[in-house]
Amino acid sequence: MLDLILYELRRSVARKKVISLIAITVLFEVGTYVALSQIRSPRIEQLISPIQPLLWIAGVLLPQSLLLHFIAISIASGSMSEEYEQGTVDFFLTKSITRLKFGLSKLIGGYILVISIYLLMVLLAVTLSELLFGVQTDLSYLPSLVGSVIFSSLTFFGVAFMAGELLRRSSLAFLVSSSVLIGSILIGAVLIFVARLTNDPIFNSIAIALPSWGATELPFLYASSIPNASLIVQALEIFPAIPGTEADAIVLTLGYAGVAFILSFMSLLSRDIPKRIS
C-alpha cells in the first residue's frame, strides 16, 4: 500500500497544476507578510503594533478561508478521475491489488499532499512572522490550530474525491466541487442576511448545515480562544459569522466527509472499470 501512496504523491506532484498550487502558496504567504511589514499608515501601524507577537495566526488562518479548500479540490478531483481518463485504473487492477486498497491509497496519498502544502504555508507563516515582526508568542496553540485547519479541509477534499470517482472526468469533477464550495458560501451569506432581517433562527440553522460552514468556521472558532487574538480572527473571517460551536463544526465535517467517502467507495467497488475514458 505504501508503494501506491508514494505513486499517488509522485503522480500528483508531476502535474503542472500541483506545481502551480505550490508556487501560489509560497507567493501567497510571502506576499501577505511583506505587505503587512511595508504598511506605513500611522492608523494601520497603531492597529498592528499590539498584535505583532500573534501575527503567525494570520498566515495559519488566512489560507483556510478559500485557498486551502481549492487546493484540496484540485488534488482530490483529479485523484481518481485522471486515472480513468488515462486508462491506468484497469492496469493497476490487473495486478494483485484490490479496488479497496487502490482507492484508499489514492485517498491517503492525495490527502497527505494537501497536508504537506498547508504545512509549507504554516512554516512560511511562522518563519516570516518571526523575521519581520519579532518574537512570536502563544505558539503552544499552533499544533491544535493547524490540526483544526487540516481536519476542516476533509469536507471539500471528500466532496471532490467523490465527484472524481462518480463523474470520472477531472475537469467536470473540479467544476462541480468548486460550485458546491462557492454556492454554499453564497447561500449561507444570503441566509444570514434573511435571518437578521426576520429574527428567525431557522435560517441560521440552515446556513450552519451547509457544507461550507463547518469547513471554514472550525479553525476560527478555535482561534477565538487564543488570548488577544480576537482582532486577527475578526479581520481574517471574510464571510459573515454564524453562531455555532466547535462540536457542531466537527460533526458536520465528519458527516459530509464520511458520506462523500462512503459513496466514493461504493462506486469504486461496484461499478465497471473502463479501460479508458476519453
Side-chain angles (χ1 to χ4, degrees):
M1 190 168 180
L2 179 60
D3 290 340
L4 285 173
I5 293 173
L6 293 175
Y7 157 77
E8 175 64 9
L9 289 170
R10 290 193 300 269
R11 186 197 67 83
S12 298
V13 171
R15 296 160 59 203
K16 293 180 180 179
K17 183 164 58 176
V18 173
I19 299 300
S20 299
L21 290 173
I22 295 173
I24 290 170
T25 294
V26 174
L27 291 173
F28 181 82
E29 290 290 344
V30 173
T32 297
Y33 282 99
V34 169
L36 285 172
S37 67
Q38 295 304 310
I39 293 172
R40 291 293 181 263
S41 164
R43 175 58 178 163
I44 299 299
E45 288 185 348
Q46 183 181 9
L47 289 172
I48 290 180
S49 180
I51 59 173
Q52 282 191 168
L54 292 172
L55 281 177
W56 61 269
I57 297 174
V60 173
L61 274 184
L62 192 55
Q64 165 66 13
S65 295
L66 273 181
L67 179 59
L68 182 62
H69 298 299
F70 274 114
I71 290 173
I73 287 171
S74 179
I75 291 171
S77 62
S79 184
M80 291 299 299
S81 58
E82 289 179 358
E83 300 286 3
Y84 290 117
E85 291 171 339
Q86 296 164 8
T88 46
V89 177
D90 183 66
F91 167 77
F92 277 109
L93 295 182
T94 59
K95 310 298 181 182
S96 56
I97 300 172
T98 64
R99 294 189 184 194
L100 179 61
K101 182 178 179 181
F102 180 74
L104 283 174
S105 300
K106 299 284 289 180
L107 188 153
I108 294 170
Y111 194 53
I112 288 174
L113 183 57
V114 172
I115 293 172
S116 300
I117 293 175
Y118 176 63
L119 289 180
L120 173 61
M121 294 185 189
V122 173
L123 177 62
L124 288 170
V126 175
T127 302
L128 291 170
S129 58
E130 288 271 359
L131 290 175
L132 298 175
F133 298 100
V135 176
Q136 299 294 291
T137 61
D138 290 313
L139 288 171
S140 59
Y141 291 94
L142 179 62
S144 296
L145 183 58
V146 168
S148 70
V149 173
I150 290 172
F151 174 77
S152 65
S153 69
L154 272 173
T155 296
F156 287 101
F157 183 86
V159 168
F161 188 85
M162 175 185 68
E165 166 56 34
L166 297 179
L167 300 173
R168 298 184 174 182
R169 300 287 193 286
S170 56
S171 57
L172 184 57
F174 179 82
L175 179 61
V176 168
S177 306
S178 300
S179 298
V180 173
L181 170 61
I182 299 301
S184 59
I185 287 172
L186 294 177
I187 293 170
V190 171
L191 288 169
I192 297 167
F193 176 71
V194 174
R196 289 173 180 172
L197 284 178
T198 62
N199 289 320
D200 190 341
I202 187 63
F203 293 104
N204 279 332
S205 299
I206 297 171
I208 286 176
L210 293 172
S212 60
W213 185 82
T216 57
E217 285 300 312
L218 178 59
F220 288 98
L221 290 169
Y222 177 78
S224 299
S225 66
I226 301 175
N228 305 313
S230 58
L231 180 61
I232 297 176
V233 173
Q234 292 170 17
L236 295 178
E237 197 165 19
I238 61 176
F239 304 113
I242 311 173
T245 67
E246 290 183 47
D248 294 332
I250 290 170
V251 169
L252 287 167
T253 299
L254 287 174
Y256 278 110
V259 169
F261 291 141
I262 289 171
L263 292 176
S264 300
F265 281 94
M266 285 177 62
S267 172
L268 176 61
L269 296 174
S270 62
R271 293 172 68 188
D272 291 337
I273 302 295
K275 291 187 179 296
R276 183 170 183 172
I277 295 178
S278 57

